[in-house]
Amino acid sequence: MGDKQSLNLFVYYTFIFIFVVFFQLLFELILGDGIDAGFLLRTVPLSAIVTVLIFVFDRWRKRR
């Protein structure tokens, strides 16, 4: 049962990561700037940080 729960959490946070990356790419396209390698190099770590923060606050909220 623990493996299934771990898999569900992995899928949940992977989805959040992909959603954040997609939202940043969409926002960049709306502003009219080009998407280049430099932008992607900034976007992916930022999305990872946002995902980790969501994970940490979610764990904190469940403990309370």
Side-chain angles (χ1 to χ4, degrees):
M1 189 69 164
D3 290 336
K4 186 172 183 173
Q5 184 180 8
S6 297
L7 180 63
N8 288 342
L9 284 174
F10 177 74
V11 169
Y12 174 71
Y13 289 111
T14 302
F15 176 74
I16 289 174
F17 175 77
I18 292 171
F19 178 75
V20 170
V21 170
F22 176 74
F23 182 73
Q24 289 178 344
L25 290 174
L26 184 66
F27 189 67
E28 187 74 9
L29 287 174
I30 289 172
L31 292 177
D33 295 337
I35 295 175
D36 56 353
F39 174 74
L40 291 176
L41 287 174
R42 289 186 310 269
T43 300
V44 171
L46 181 64
S47 299
I49 291 169
V50 169
T51 304
V52 167
L53 287 175
I54 290 172
F55 172 75
V56 168
F57 287 126
D58 192 37
R59 298 278 295 193
W60 177 74
R61 183 180 54 94
K62 287 180 182 177
R63 285 186 193 170
R64 297 188 98 218

